[in-house]
Amino acid sequence: MVFYRGVSLLSKLRSRAVQQTNLSNSVRWLQVQTSSGLDLRSELQELIPEQQDRLKKLKSEHGKVQLGNITVDMVLGGMRGMTGLLWETSLLDPDEGIRFRGLSIYECQKVLPAAKPGGEPLPEGLLWLLLTGKVPSKEQVDSLSQELRSRATVPDHVYKTIDALPVTAHPMTQFATGVMALQVQSEFQKAYEKGIHKSKLWEPTYEDSMSLIAQVPLVAAYVYRRMYKNGNTIPKDDSLDYGANFAHMLGFSSSDMHELMKLYVTIHSDHEGGNVSAHTGHLVASALSDPYLSFAAALNGLAGPLHGLANQEVLLWIKSVVEECGENISKEQLKDYAWKTLKSGKVVPGFGHGVLRKTDPRYTCQREFALKHLPEDPLFQLVAKLYEVFLQFLQNLAKLNPWPNVDAHSGVLLNYYGLTEARYYTVLFGVSRALGICSQLIWDRALGLPLERPKSVTMEWLENHCKKA
Ligand SMILES: CC(C)(COP(=O)(O)OP(=O)(O)OC[C@H]1O[C@@H](n2cnc3c(N)ncnc32)[C@H](O)[C@@H]1OP(=O)(O)O)[C@@H](O)C(=O)NCCC(=O)NCCS
């Protein structure tokens, strides 16, 4: 049974926050909004006109306000630090990390409904928050879980399409292929072909997005069971919540693994708009490609080793350390091993980030989960040691941003509960990302955001421009 910790807990949190303002981990005064409607689509319908007006006002009153200067470094440096995207569902601060609609991960853990007292937030609750900016009640989360359950069927041709690939194909290739095969049922595409008015485009986007979010765990679980369990699939269990059901279909029945999956899906869902997968989804959708096409494109970006594939690489790297040096590796040995990786022109996966300049809070909450559930696990202890090694030695030695990101931790948790197939990990990330990317796609169409089309220039253009400057 779902346990709701929302409104009553909030008042407790508010008074506690006032009492504990000097404690570094105290919850700040939460200005959370709630609402009572149970139907998510109707809730959105109500919110959209006011957000459209807000955007119109911003444009007409402040459209010409400058947000910064663009330098040659920015153009050559992958657009780092260049503000150029509107992304409503989350915002990333380099020091503090991610906030989903203004709430930190810690705050989400406190205020979003959980499946059991003190448990991890239900991803459905996070989805409601991402879409509406409001903290849902237990009844609203129940209603959304039901909506997702009712959409969680996958046509047979999708499985047949995946089966056409060699079983050895990378799991992300199989997963993205499955998502492309789902596209044939796109309501958006049908509505567009019939000539839908542009003000209504968010409606079929909502239909496709919610179906896609409901379907991806089934496709992902199929890939896992096909590759690693001789194709013995496990039917969905409608008595379970989204995260638990996903873990169940993969073949994991322990309640701790179900909790981990809820945490995993929640924290991997969204990371503002500039990361490769989110930006790709948003860019492709700006051409009015439907959510299936857009999300499949996003998955292909996520499959890169500097982005989502890093979670697979971390566990493989950790296992290679253990193979060479054993589990009781000293800090000195660990430093030497990491240094050897760096000197060979490779990255140490799980460290550094395009934006973050402090420990990723997604790392911290996974560490807290590990301290609670698997404090003695040798691989967890190795991860903790690696953190110290980076801060003490490698940041000076290698002049690196030494802070760990989300991927530095996820593999050892999954491995502990028996999900040991590291090559599969990015698929879990992909399932989670559907929540964030699809939520923003609905708002992209509701706000009528235009075709994305930045200007590019040649080196010659830059050289000439600089000479004149
Ligand atoms: C994520 C990442 C691509 C960000 O790179 P970035 O935006 O260029 O970050 P920085 O500006 O701090 O990088 C400065 C330099 O350090 C290097 N660097 C950063 N993190 C590194 C790491 N973990 N291992 C080795 N080198 C690293 C970069 O490649 C860059 O090298 P260059 O100047 O030769 O191009 C990078 O940190 C990385 O490759 N990390 C490992 C992969 C990973 O964990 N990805 C998941 C991110 S959530």
Side-chain angles (χ1 to χ4, degrees), residues 136-201:
S137 66
K138 168 194 182 294
E139 290 74 21
Q140 287 169 324
V141 170
D142 279 351
S143 149
L144 178 52
S145 295
Q146 192 44 43
E147 174 172 357
L148 292 174
R149 263 180 220 121
S150 69
R151 291 173 183 266
T153 51
V154 169
D156 241 17
H157 78 264
V158 173
Y159 299 129
K160 286 187 185 138
T161 307
I162 295 172
D163 286 343
L165 291 168
V167 76
T168 50
H170 193 279
M172 280 300 278
T173 306
Q174 301 195 38
F175 183 43
T177 301
V179 170
M180 278 305 294
L182 282 171
Q183 190 275 341
V184 298
Q185 62 183 21
S186 169
E187 292 297 324
F188 184 100
Q189 191 183 45
K190 283 183 212 146
Y192 196 84
E193 282 170 3
K194 278 192 198 144
I196 186 173
H197 190 277
K198 62 182 178 181
S199 63
K200 300 263 178 223
L201 280 174

Side-chain angles (χ1 to χ4, degrees), residues 80 306-307 310 342 347-354 400-401 405 407:
R80 295 291 186 292
L306 297 187
H307 188 25
L342 293 170
V347 298
V348 177
F351 284 80
H353 193 270
L400 280 182
N401 168 8
N405 59 56
D407 301 318

